[in-house]
Amino acid sequence: MSTPFPFTAVVGQDDLRLALLLNAVSPAVGGVLVRGEKGTAKSTAVRALSALLPEVDVVPGCRFSCDPGSPDPACPDGPHAPGASGSRPARMVELPVGASEDRLVGALDIERALSEGVKAFEPGLLADAHRGILYVDEVNLLHDHLVDLLLDAAAMGASYVEREGVSVRHASRFLLVGTMNPEEGELRPQLLDRFGLTVEVAASREPDQRVEVVRRRLAYDDDPAGFAARWAGEEAAVRQRVVAARALLPSVRLGDGALRQIAATCAAFEVDGMRADIVMARTATALAAWAGRSDVLAEDVRQAALLALPHRRRRNPFDAPGLDEDKLDETLEEFGGQDPGDGDDDPDDPGPGGGPGGHPEPGDAPGGDGDTAARPEAGEGGEPRPSGAGEQSPVRAAEPFRAKVLSVPGLGEGAAGRRSRARTEHGRTTGARRPRGALTKLHLAATVRAAAPHQRARGRSGPGLVVRRDDLRQATREGREGNLVLFVVDASGSMAARQRMGAVKGAVLSLLLDAYQRRDKVGLVTFRGSAAEVALPPTSSVDAAAARLESLPTGGRTPLAAGLLRAHEVLRVERLRDPARRALVVVVTDGRATGGPEPVALASRAARLFAAGQVASVVVDCESGPVRLGLAGRLADELGGTGVTLDELRADSIAGLVKDVQRRAA
């Protein structure tokens, strides 16, 4: 087993280390979500935490890690005899993004069922993580069906398995830690709220700190065991401090004054539900215990708010996380009757991982890949924007609305999502077939039915079923897939007429919100002046698309053909990268085509490329005024898609739009 990087050797990242340590002191805090760019030691710090946790007392031989002092009466391996006791190190279980449902919750032991004729349960990762850490790297990319199972287990502290004739319930209380890069997409609000604390991390811009990061990483790579040995003293000190804080925690007093500050803060920042109040109370109590105090102070409440509230204030994926600290201080002072403190560490007791009131100096840390490139600012597209006469400054988007769902017709096989029908690994079982290649999802009933008629001929004499390769049946399942929604937005001068661009941006923003909820990838192509550009290559980060849209200027001629050809090229490249993901092209334009020789004819030929490739498309007609030319409708016909006006995009206005898309694409 490789030697992990020492937790105390991580450079900077004070808030990250503090949040992890608070959960080590009080697992009831509810876990940590670590958000940040790549190469900032998110995974390194999380993996190093398990070495600081005290050993766990367990019942020997119990696969579900029952506590010998209070064993689970419903444990599948029970009942347990009193007195038997053992111990083991605390586990950190990693949940891969591509894990199956069986691997997460457990399933029927197929081998024993077929060979011995008995129903036996094979535990999953939720059983392994009980009383330990469940770590999900790139948690924002986790499939929705796994997210639902995690939500249930985190809420109930137990995992319930009802499938394939197996009915099992076992305890599953774990510290949930997730890491994510926001550029790759956001989390569902339900899962976001399940994380007790959230931390934003970024690479340091201080040369001295970056030098120290590199120095420690190189030393670790040269001699991991020797490097860990040099930090063994600091690791032991933090481990002892965690044990002492755990022992002190039950005696920490959360007074009425502190509790009133917590309630007032959550009310002032308008967070949903009561979970924030509870998490803040537990965090403030853990902060006091970590500092060695038996009373919760205002500075503990302040730091708890900075860790527990930012991710609960987001109303949609385009809201920037964060907290107004001036407003926080005013609220604490108003309802506390005392100085809430400035959140600085106690100079006499900074402690490993920063003191309870510490503010981080954002910095890199060992364990990253060294790639600390900052996210591109809104408006960068990898190539210069086309210029055009009469360019106007960007206008603000109108208020978004709930958009009608647009789906791709037919049955796909893309990544799991919530937009279009698809054959998926997860979903409702619709039938069975002979496996093509490796068997991935066994249809047990169909397999038994296929093998049953041959048992006498195969000489069966015991309770087990004699099964051959030809008897195996693959379950066919139908669910929903995520698509690539490629927006092709007309930013020419005609779109700026009558101040339409604000409404256009509001409509696209509404469709982006819908794409976020349905787990789609999105891309943005714009055209104006004399050329088109890829404002945003296909990505899972809809907030990045919203930022590019917000900064989009208008003006110049309308190179419609250039926009369609650029979109066609984006789809061609994306099909090579992700051939299973189907595309939906949303063209937002008034249908005019100007500039260059024969602009209308060129646009028609470009549109017919999409029709020939049977690409699902919708044209959002932005034409307004009493006299309408109907150019966008003609474009929709040439694309083989559907035309719809801006007003008809609203969910209560276009009930028949999806049927029209499917009818025209059939």
Side-chain angles (χ1 to χ4, degrees):
M1 182 177 178
S2 60
T3 304
F5 194 94
F7 185 86
T8 51
V10 174
V11 179
Q13 310 295 23
D14 293 339
D15 268 4
L16 168 58
R17 293 191 291 163
L18 177 60
L20 292 171
L21 288 169
L22 291 177
N23 276 274
V25 171
S26 176
V29 166
V32 186
L33 175 64
V34 187
R35 299 163 45 95
E37 59 198 26
K38 50 191 175 291
T40 49
K42 302 186 295 293
S43 300
T44 298
V46 173
R47 292 188 174 101
L49 177 66
S50 59
L52 301 179
L53 299 181
E55 287 195 339
V56 178
D57 292 330
V58 295
V59 174
C62 178
R63 296 174 297 167
F64 301 89
S65 301
C66 277
D67 184 348
S70 56
D72 183 2
C75 176
D77 284 355
H80 299 298
S85 178
S87 64
R88 60 163 175 78
R91 288 177 183 157
M92 191 195 73
V93 177
E94 293 197 42
L95 172 61
V97 169
S100 67
E101 183 177 338
D102 292 348
R103 186 71 188 97
L104 178 62
V105 301
L108 176 70
D109 189 331
I110 299 296
E111 182 178 352
R112 292 191 62 190
L114 295 179
S115 63
E116 302 176 23
V118 298
K119 290 194 297 184
F121 179 68
E122 185 176 0
L125 295 177
L126 289 178
D128 293 341
H130 179 46
R131 304 176 68 199
I133 302 172
L134 181 61
Y135 172 48
V136 189
D137 194 12
E138 305 294 352
V139 64
N140 50 325
L141 304 182
L142 197 64
H143 289 308
D144 278 356
H145 70 285
L146 297 183
V147 170
D148 293 334
L149 293 170
L150 275 181
L151 290 177
D152 290 342
M156 298 183 292
S159 176
Y160 292 84
V161 183
E162 300 281 351
R163 54 190 305 179
E164 297 167 342
V166 173
S167 179
V168 173
R169 174 240 174 243
H170 65 84
S172 183
R173 292 182 295 276
F174 47 82
L175 167 58
L176 181 61
V177 181
T179 58
M180 60 174 283
N181 184 345
E183 292 179 346
E184 297 173 339
E186 288 291 345
L187 273 174
R188 284 172 53 187
Q190 295 94 330
L191 182 58
L192 197 62
D193 189 50
R194 291 296 180 185
F195 286 97
L197 311 179
T198 187
V199 177
E200 295 278 341
V201 296
S204 174
R205 300 298 182 256
E206 283 290 330
D208 290 343
Q209 195 170 52
R210 296 175 75 98
V211 166
E212 185 61 23
V213 168
V214 175
R215 181 181 290 117
R216 293 187 187 183
R217 182 70 212 191
L218 293 178
Y220 171 76
D221 289 341
D222 289 341
D223 183 9
F227 184 82
R230 290 195 293 275
W231 288 88
E234 287 81 353
E235 293 281 286
V238 174
R239 192 179 300 110
Q240 292 171 3
R241 188 172 177 184
V242 169
V243 172
R246 281 190 172 189
L248 178 62
L249 186 66
S251 61
V252 174
R253 189 180 71 89
L254 180 65
D256 290 342
L259 199 55
R260 184 173 178 80
Q261 284 183 319
I262 291 170
T265 300
C266 293
F269 286 100
E270 300 179 352
V271 296
D272 295 332
M274 294 298 298
R275 183 172 284 115
D277 304 62
I278 297 170
V279 170
M280 272 191 66
R282 290 171 174 167
T283 304
T285 303
L287 282 161
W290 178 248
R293 289 185 270 100
S294 58
D295 288 294
V296 173
L297 304 182
E299 66 189 53
D300 300 324
V301 176
R302 185 182 194 279
Q303 183 63 39
L306 293 174
L307 292 172
L309 296 188
H311 61 300
R312 292 185 165 88
R313 295 191 61 246
R314 304 188 75 185
R315 293 296 184 264
N316 64 61
F318 311 137
D319 293 338
L323 218 59
D324 184 341
E325 296 194 29
D326 291 337
K327 181 178 179 180
L328 173 61
D329 289 337
E330 291 173 4
T331 303
L332 292 175
E333 186 172 3
E334 178 183 355
F335 288 89
Q338 56 180 315
D339 181 8
D342 59 5
D344 291 336
D345 293 343
D346 182 351
D348 296 327
D349 184 20
H359 290 287
E361 287 293 332
D364 202 349
D369 57 13
D371 183 358
T372 56
R375 279 176 262 169
E377 296 296 328
E380 295 178 2
E383 47 187 293
R385 282 199 176 101
S387 61
E391 178 177 308
Q392 301 181 19
S393 59
V395 298
R396 293 186 60 84
E399 192 69 22
F401 51 83
R402 187 169 67 89
K404 186 68 177 182
V405 59
L406 310 175
S407 63
V408 178
L411 196 63
E413 295 182 344
R418 295 187 165 190
R419 183 171 296 277
S420 306
R421 292 176 56 230
R423 287 183 291 267
T424 61
E425 288 293 317
H426 310 281
R428 63 185 183 91
T429 300
T430 57
R433 60 173 173 81
R434 292 180 183 272
R436 294 190 292 267
L439 179 70
T440 55
K441 290 289 181 181
L442 178 72
H443 194 298
L444 184 59
T447 299
V448 172
R449 284 196 300 268
H454 310 290
Q455 296 306 294
R456 180 173 296 179
R458 293 173 183 174
R460 172 184 170 184
S461 58
L465 196 66
V466 181
V467 179
R468 303 280 172 81
R469 170 70 185 177
D470 290 344
D471 301 326
L472 299 179
R473 295 295 183 267
Q474 173 85 27
T476 57
R477 300 184 178 185
E478 183 178 312
R480 292 279 170 175
E481 67 176 359
N483 298 118
L484 166 61
V485 182
L486 181 61
F487 295 93
V488 185
V489 180
D490 184 350
S492 64
S494 64
M495 293 290 289
R498 300 185 181 89
Q499 299 182 342
R500 287 200 302 255
M501 203 60 196
V504 169
K505 287 186 175 181
V508 177
L509 197 64
S510 303
L511 292 171
L512 283 172
L513 277 167
D514 182 68
Y516 161 73
Q517 294 165 351
R518 300 186 187 282
R519 321 309 286 172
D520 294 316
K521 292 180 72 173
V522 296
L524 178 62
V525 173
T526 64
F527 57 94
R528 66 186 182 90
S530 59
E533 69 163 329
V534 181
L536 184 72
T539 175
S540 297
S541 180
V542 294
D543 52 344
R548 305 294 170 90
L549 179 71
E550 193 70 29
S551 63
L552 179 67
T554 58
R557 295 183 180 274
T558 312
L560 177 57
L564 294 175
L565 290 173
R566 181 56 64 92
H568 190 269
E569 177 64 15
V570 170
L571 293 183
R572 185 190 68 81
V573 174
E574 192 63 17
R575 272 194 294 268
L576 296 175
R577 294 174 177 168
D578 192 357
R581 188 181 293 268
R582 298 185 295 165
L584 174 65
V585 176
V586 180
V587 184
V588 185
T589 181
D590 57 10
R592 290 180 173 84
T594 60
E598 301 183 345
V600 177
L602 284 174
S604 297
R605 286 199 292 270
R608 285 194 288 272
L609 290 175
F610 290 84
Q614 297 184 329
V615 178
S617 59
V618 174
V619 177
V620 180
D621 185 358
C622 302
E623 192 174 31
S624 61
V627 179
R628 300 186 179 224
L629 302 178
L631 299 176
R634 295 179 205 169
L635 175 63
D637 291 337
E638 291 169 337
L639 286 166
T642 294
V644 59
T645 65
L646 281 174
D647 291 338
E648 291 171 338
L649 269 180
R650 297 181 180 273
D652 55 356
S653 300
I654 52 171
L657 177 60
V658 176
K659 293 181 180 179
D660 289 341
V661 173
Q662 295 172 336
R663 175 177 55 80
R664 290 171 181 253

